[in-house]
Amino acid sequence: MPDRLPPLNALRAFDAAARRLNFARAAAELAVTPGAVSRQIQLLEEALGHRLFVRGNRAVELTAQGRAYARHVHEAFDRLALATEQVRGRGAGGPLAICAYPTFAMRWLVPRWRRFHDRHPDIDLQLTTTLGPVDIVRDGFDAAVRLGNGNWPGHGSVWLAAVEVFPVCSPALARRITTPADLADHVLIHSDPRPDDWPRWLKAAGAAGVDGTRGPRFETMSLAFQAAIEGVGVAMGLGCLIAEDLALGRLARPLAFTHRSRREFHLVYPLSRAGDPRLTAFRTFLAEEAEAA
């Protein structure tokens, strides 16, 4: 059996590179050099007798055989990670570990937390936030909130919310803005996690004379929204994250045009965890919440 399997280091390098489609990022994940990743993948290709990547000047892409192999390798690592957790005693009796983007967690998940607890008092939720990439199983999570089109190989997903982007500001400031061109006379507020929202919205709205790169930047979307509430300027809002602020009049929409992204919020979970009754309860609850929102 050992002779039938490629070296574990080569498989780990391939898995990381296949997920990131970038040898440098795969190297950073594995704490090795890009050259080491490239050599491991070359060894794996020689052992298999097939090319797994098409290498370009600045990027790499998986071949058809590489895509199929990557799916199986990733699922195998997930199963190993899950089996390891079970041996260590992390199972159905422990907390359900969820990872999410910070502002989504604060403004969409946490307001619903109590309703889930009231329905399932025996299930403890453990919430971690990050803006970085997450490998759900190997990073110790049961599921994660991700942006995408709903298709993650080897994973199931539950749609949570659309990403509808539009300007927001204080009600007093909103009364002074009637066309996209008026934005040239006001401060544009930016958030580091979504630096391209203003340029994209202005282009889609046809506001060619407005510089979408100027204005103060904030580390999180929540800080950007709060700056807009305080009258600093106009922020780019995400509808699902500021619905309460709009309903309570803390924020207002000065312009009606909405840009909808093709990437939407989903709860993503490995298919290997689909039978976990805690996760099933959480998925069902979030699907109902999403439909009612």
Side-chain angles (χ1 to χ4, degrees):
M1 176 64 74
D3 292 338
R4 294 175 56 190
L5 296 176
L8 180 60
N9 284 342
L11 290 173
R12 290 182 65 220
F14 170 67
D15 177 58
R19 284 185 283 106
R20 302 190 180 279
L21 293 180
N22 184 295
F23 285 5
R25 292 175 186 167
E29 175 183 322
L30 299 173
V32 298
T33 66
V37 169
S38 181
R39 287 192 295 274
Q40 290 293 337
I41 290 174
Q42 185 176 0
L43 288 173
L44 181 60
E45 289 176 326
E46 291 174 356
L48 296 174
H50 294 283
R51 291 184 67 189
L52 301 173
F53 287 97
V54 176
R55 295 161 174 80
N57 291 332
R58 296 185 179 180
V60 294
E61 292 186 6
L62 288 162
T63 63
Q65 287 173 316
R67 284 193 297 273
Y69 194 50
R71 183 173 62 254
H72 292 302
V73 169
H74 188 74
E75 290 174 356
F77 275 123
D78 274 356
R79 287 195 295 271
L80 281 171
L82 181 60
T84 301
E85 289 178 1
Q86 291 172 342
V87 170
R88 288 174 175 169
R90 180 174 175 264
L96 188 68
I98 306 298
C99 183
Y101 304 110
T103 302
F104 189 89
M106 181 184 301
R107 289 174 166 262
W108 201 96
L109 279 177
V110 172
R112 293 166 166 81
W113 215 259
R114 182 54 186 266
R115 289 198 289 275
F116 178 76
H117 176 74
D118 288 346
R119 188 184 299 183
H120 301 283
D122 56 324
I123 300 177
D124 290 329
L125 295 179
Q126 176 182 309
L127 178 62
T128 300
T129 64
T130 181
L131 289 171
V134 171
D135 187 296
I136 297 174
V137 173
R138 271 167 277 174
D139 289 338
F141 300 112
D142 296 293
V145 175
R146 299 287 87 181
L147 280 167
N149 62 3
N151 181 26
W152 285 268
H155 293 71
S157 66
V158 176
W159 181 87
L160 300 179
V163 176
E164 296 177 322
V165 184
F166 47 82
V168 293
C169 58
S170 68
L173 183 55
R175 289 191 286 269
R176 296 157 52 191
I177 302 171
T178 58
T179 70
D182 292 339
L183 293 168
D185 299 324
H186 297 279
V187 174
L188 303 186
I189 299 170
H190 304 262
S191 65
D192 287 342
R194 299 184 64 86
D196 299 325
D197 275 352
W198 267 116
R200 284 198 190 112
W201 186 92
L202 290 167
K203 181 179 179 181
V210 182
D211 181 0
T213 63
R214 62 179 174 83
R217 295 185 176 275
F218 292 86
E219 185 179 16
T220 67
M221 284 187 288
S222 283
L223 287 173
F225 298 155
Q226 189 61 38
I229 290 171
E230 299 297 335
V232 172
V234 187
M236 192 54 65
L238 269 67
C240 63
L241 303 184
I242 56 169
E244 183 177 4
D245 294 305
L246 292 172
L248 295 177
R250 292 191 291 253
L251 286 172
R253 294 186 60 172
L255 301 164
F257 180 74
T258 297
H259 180 260
R260 180 161 179 164
S261 172
R262 285 177 289 186
R263 300 172 71 222
E264 301 179 322
F265 289 107
H266 295 78
L267 182 77
V268 182
Y269 57 92
L271 292 177
S272 58
R273 296 204 188 282
D276 185 328
R278 303 166 306 155
L279 182 57
T280 299
F282 192 57
R283 284 157 39 201
T284 301
F285 170 78
L286 290 187
E288 293 172 358
E289 289 289 315
E291 185 177 354

